[in-house]
Amino acid sequence: MIQLLTPSGERTAEGGSAPYAKRVAHLDHDALRGLYEDMVLVRRFDDEATALQRQGELGLFPQCLGQEAAQVGSGRALAAQDYVFPSYREHGVAHTRGLDLAQILLQFRGVDHGGWDTEAHNFHLYTLVIGSHALHATGYAMGVQRDGLVGTGDPDRDTAVVAYFGDGSTSQGDVNEALVFAATTNAPVVFFCQNNQWAISEPTTKQSRVPLYRRGDGFGIPGVRVDGNDVLASYAVMDEALERARSGGGPTFVEAFTYRMGAHTTSDDPTRYRSRAEEQSWRERDPIDRLRKHLESEGAWDQGWAEQVAAEADALGEHLRTYVRALEAPPASSMFDTVYASEHGTVTAERAWHAEYEAGFETSEVAR
């Protein structure tokens, strides 16, 4: 497993990890503080959204608690032209793509099917159907390849595509079909699997008899396992995979070995299927604490700056609460507005029928 930062915050680069150390050598103390700030803000988003769901303001919410390093580290390695296909827990990646995290909550409030402009951030809408977006990502990557945006040698032109998913998705047919297409077409796509140990209540050990990163072997796709609680290693491994994809080297399967410290969603009770001891052992490997310890050991921790980060997190929390509580339900007719890019006969007929149906409730006969 590739690791560059131990749980105690010490730099390491032993064995197979050594070549990856060069890929983070340019990250100075300012850059490391930036990664820390990213993770703190994403966790605050998680905490606030969970609280809003408990208060009845959201219908559901999936936390990424504990997975911040895997997401922020890999997300910061992306180039502006790269395109991301997330599942529904990639809040940290969304943050690195410049998305206002409040927009994610439109979907979980139930007032929108997505809530953001995918083209503005090269970050696709969340996908709730487990694993289906791996095919979308592969198809998009094949299109990028055919558009001549791979292997040109121009760093501002060459493009990679990333599909983020969890360990449970590897048991889905769609992901395996995506691996087949990606391998046979040499598509510029990175399959970034966050192995958080639990597919709802099913442990990874019951899903696979081999480490997940070895799944790529059977398809002819190189695989690598990275410490997903190590933000530096996550950055380095993604940087290598993206470089391979953009240069025409084809797909990579990355397994980020991490842990879902929260529930699967706010409707889940993890105490029914895992132990407190297990949770505590992973909390001792908290990705944010790990980077903080490293900054302290390097003499790069500044208390004044830390207080500014905390104030920024408080401001984010206030923004989220204000934003969500101001949301109003859209008219039911809006469901027909963006089904297709242009007008479609079937949708037009359905819109007219629905308008007539709703109008029927306003007649005096129905009122009586």
Side-chain angles (χ1 to χ4, degrees):
M1 184 165 66
I2 306 304
Q3 184 183 80
L4 299 177
L5 203 60
T6 68
S8 61
E10 298 175 358
R11 291 271 191 152
T12 182
E14 298 180 356
S17 300
Y20 291 94
K22 300 177 182 178
R23 293 185 177 273
V24 296
H26 67 288
L27 298 178
D28 58 16
H29 288 159
D30 284 341
L32 295 182
R33 284 191 289 263
L35 293 172
Y36 178 88
E37 180 179 359
D38 286 340
M39 292 193 289
V40 168
L41 292 177
V42 171
R43 182 163 295 185
R44 182 56 176 267
F45 169 73
D46 246 30
D47 292 343
E48 291 290 343
T50 301
L52 285 167
Q53 192 282 329
R54 298 307 190 202
Q55 295 161 16
E57 301 290 352
L58 303 177
L60 185 76
F61 185 71
Q63 290 181 291
C64 69
L65 181 65
Q67 299 178 219
E68 296 90 354
Q71 295 189 14
V72 169
S74 62
R76 285 301 179 196
L78 293 161
Q81 69 270 20
D82 295 334
Y83 204 99
V84 173
F85 285 82
S87 56
Y88 51 81
R89 201 187 300 277
E90 276 67 55
H91 319 319
V93 185
H95 173 69
T96 67
R97 300 305 279 172
L99 185 68
D100 179 359
L101 294 178
Q103 292 184 283
I104 291 175
L105 302 182
L106 287 164
Q107 185 171 24
F108 298 108
R109 175 82 164 184
V111 299
D112 200 293
H113 294 306
W116 59 84
D117 182 352
T118 60
E119 296 302 312
H121 306 282
N122 278 10
F123 186 78
H124 201 262
L125 301 180
Y126 274 5
T127 302
L128 303 185
V129 180
I130 306 298
S132 66
H133 61 295
L135 284 169
H136 307 158
T138 301
Y140 193 96
M142 292 166 63
V144 165
Q145 185 184 54
R146 284 154 178 74
D147 285 343
L149 300 177
V150 178
T152 69
D154 183 350
D156 296 323
R157 179 178 174 82
D158 288 337
T159 302
V161 181
V162 183
Y164 284 89
F165 50 86
D167 49 286
S169 295
T170 63
S171 298
Q172 293 291 107
D174 286 356
V175 170
N176 290 274
E177 291 164 10
L179 291 169
V180 170
F181 272 91
T184 55
T185 63
N186 208 44
V189 58
V190 179
F191 298 98
F192 196 90
C193 173
Q194 294 168 86
N195 178 4
N196 63 22
Q197 312 303 314
W198 292 94
I200 307 183
S201 58
E202 193 74 0
T204 307
T205 52
K206 287 189 176 181
Q207 297 178 65
S208 179
R209 297 181 66 176
V210 299
L212 294 181
Y213 77 95
R214 289 179 55 191
R215 287 289 181 91
D217 293 347
F219 300 90
I221 296 176
V224 58
R225 172 182 272 188
V226 61
D227 182 344
N229 285 18
D230 177 351
V231 68
L232 298 185
S234 296
Y235 179 101
V237 165
M238 179 61 99
D239 185 60
E240 179 193 53
L242 292 170
E243 182 180 280
R244 177 181 294 116
R246 297 190 200 111
S247 64
T252 303
F253 188 101
V254 177
E255 177 193 359
F257 199 76
T258 182
Y259 192 75
R260 167 171 56 78
M261 291 200 293
H264 177 71
T265 69
T266 47
S267 65
D268 173 43
D269 178 9
T271 64
R272 295 172 64 92
Y273 54 82
R274 67 188 192 192
S275 68
R276 295 292 187 188
E278 176 185 315
E279 293 179 356
Q280 182 56 38
S281 69
W282 278 94
R283 289 187 185 280
E284 293 170 0
R285 289 178 263 181
D286 186 292
I288 298 179
D289 290 345
R290 184 181 303 202
L291 184 54
R292 176 182 57 78
K293 292 174 183 176
H294 178 63
L295 288 169
E296 290 173 342
S297 68
E298 292 277 301
W301 182 265
D302 180 84
Q303 191 57 37
W305 161 79
E307 291 173 359
Q308 290 178 4
V309 172
E312 188 177 353
D314 288 341
L316 173 62
E318 179 61 29
H319 167 57
L320 295 171
R321 294 189 295 272
T322 302
Y323 181 87
V324 168
R325 289 167 179 160
L327 292 174
E328 297 181 356
S333 60
S334 66
M335 74 176 83
F336 301 103
D337 291 346
T338 54
V339 178
Y340 290 97
S342 58
E343 194 64 24
H344 189 283
T346 300
V347 177
T348 300
E350 290 176 345
R351 182 190 290 111
W353 175 88
H354 189 267
E356 182 180 353
Y357 172 75
E358 283 199 318
F361 288 96
E362 300 174 2
T363 65
S364 57
E365 181 179 351
V366 172
R368 286 197 299 270

